[in-house]
């Protein structure tokens, strides 16, 4: 059973699959082992129009909808999950948020740079003491005339150091809680703006993750996103759609695990016949396939809802929760299908297992997804 994509979306899938298999898959193991940022992959994403594919054509983007982005993200993650998150953060958390909340010439200038992929974007909400409790951030923004002065530290920021533009959330009044938070655009190279050392991660090792250090960074009023006090809602809106991107990434990782398991099971001979003939293996493969198709239905439905009016946070949370759980559960199973070989670096399933874990954590943990779903039902 396959989700029936329309002709246009099916073409995007085919193109993304060919692109990812040809350009990204051959280097995925090397990117993982070295942990180096895959600048060449980013250049290819740029060249083939994947950076900014969801941003309007008037700014140089691809003008495509969220379902198009989702199928492309899934196919890219199927071959290289690290490259997929670079794209998702750039296109959704950063690009879409600037599109919705920046103003005037700043909006136009930044969108032109990110819609064409000329410059990368990143999104900074998390702090050492404010992860799931995002409203507890302590980075401050103090207004001084037509500028704001930012001080604080952001942590676990994807694309840190390699991006040029950063959305930074800061509190202007902690006593107001989430309503005291404002979002700003900060540019690499601004005085007082620096980066911590890149994190040495379990998975998605090619994607860069580091702290942002803000020491008296001055931001012009024109670079504020939305109004003062709207930063939390802007960030939550960004994460709503960002979670569809991570769900698609998880789906791609899970599909890669299934594909590898099917291939391996047909080739690996034990007890005089391919292990694919053994019921123990068949059941594992069947269970993987069912969950992956179910995840795909949820993720594509979430992508369709993203283009419809109203708030659909709980559906985005359901898609991310189910797809990431599926990815984790079935990449472990894929290692089991591969036996001892699955435990070795040379076989990609151990990388898939390590890559899958982060999808249950970033852009909102599975526990926070459950909280969002429950709150919407119990309101
Ligand atoms: N869209 C619009 N508004 C929203 C919203 C959404 N999705 N979610 C909440 N809001 C609004 C609420 O309506 C409320 O507004 P009112 O007071 O006017 O009604 C306001 O925001 C505060 O909402 P809550 O009271 O629900 O806020 P909370 O403090 O209880 O937090 C939460 C809710 C869901 C737990 C939220 O803090 C959350 O999502 N936490 C997880 C954070 C997260 O995902 N972090 C990942 C960061 S990115 C990353 O991982 C790294 C990277 O680089 C990729």
């Amino acid at each position: 059973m396959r989700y029936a994509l329309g002709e246009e979306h099916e073409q995007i899938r085919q193109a993304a699959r060919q692109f990812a298999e040809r350009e990204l898959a051959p280097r995925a193991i090397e990117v993982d082992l070295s942990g180096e940022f895959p600048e060449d992959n980013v250049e290819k994403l740029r060249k083939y129009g994947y950076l900014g594919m969801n941003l309007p054509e008037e700014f140089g983007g691809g003008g495509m909808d969220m379902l198009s982005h989702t199928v492309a993200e899934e196919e890219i993650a199927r071959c290289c999950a690290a490259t997929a998150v670079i794209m998702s953060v750039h296109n959704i958390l950063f690009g879409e948020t600037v599109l919705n909340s920046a103003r005037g010439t700043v909006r136009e200038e930044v969108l032109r740079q990110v819609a064409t992929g000329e410059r990368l974007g990143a999104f900074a909400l998390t702090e050492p003491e404010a992860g799931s409790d995002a409203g507890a951030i302590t980075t401050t923004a103090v207004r001084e005339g037509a500028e704001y002065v930012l001080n604080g530290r952001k942590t676990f920021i994807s694309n840190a150091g390699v991006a040029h533009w950063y959305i930074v959330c800061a509190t202007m009044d902690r006593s107001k809680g989430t309503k005291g938070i404002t979002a700003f655009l900060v540019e690499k190279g601004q005085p007082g703006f620096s980066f911590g050392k890149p994190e040495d991660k379990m998975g998605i090792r090619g994607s860069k993750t580091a702290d942002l250090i803000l020491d008296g960074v001055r931001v012009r009023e024109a670079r504020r996103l939305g109004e003062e006090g709207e930063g939390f809602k802007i960030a939550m809106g960004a994460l709503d759609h960002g979670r569809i991107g991570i769900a698609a990434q998880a789906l791609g990782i899970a599909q890669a695990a299934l594909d590898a398991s099917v291939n391996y099971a047909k080739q690996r001979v034990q007890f005089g016949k391919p292990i694919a003939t053994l019921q123990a293996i068949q059941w594992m493969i069947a269970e993987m396939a069912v969950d992956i198709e179910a995840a795909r239905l949820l993720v594509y439905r979430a992508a369709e809802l993203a283009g419809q009016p109203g708030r659909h946070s709980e559906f985005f949370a359901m898609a991310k929760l189910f797809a990431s759980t599926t990815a984790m559960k079935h990449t472990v199973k894929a290692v089991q299908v591969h036996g001892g070989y699955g435990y070795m670096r040379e076989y990609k399933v151990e990388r898939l297992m390590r890559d899958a874990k982060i999808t249950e954590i970033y852009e909102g943990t599975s526990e926070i997804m459950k909280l969002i779903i429950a709150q919407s039902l119990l309101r």
Side-chain angles (χ1 to χ4, degrees), residues 123-145:
F123 172 87
L125 175 64
T126 303
E127 296 181 0
E129 303 301 329
S132 290
D133 186 7
I137 60 170
T138 57
T139 292
T140 53
V142 175
R143 190 168 184 138
E144 282 187 11

Side-chain angles (χ1 to χ4, degrees), residues 67-98:
L67 186 56
S68 306
H69 191 276
T70 300
V71 293
E73 175 82 15
E74 177 189 348
E75 291 299 334
I76 288 168
R78 185 174 155 269
C79 293
C80 183
T83 302
V85 72
I86 297 167
M87 168 171 140
S88 180
V89 168
H90 172 85
N91 284 347
I92 306 180
L93 285 187
F94 185 84
E96 211 187 88
T97 309
V98 171

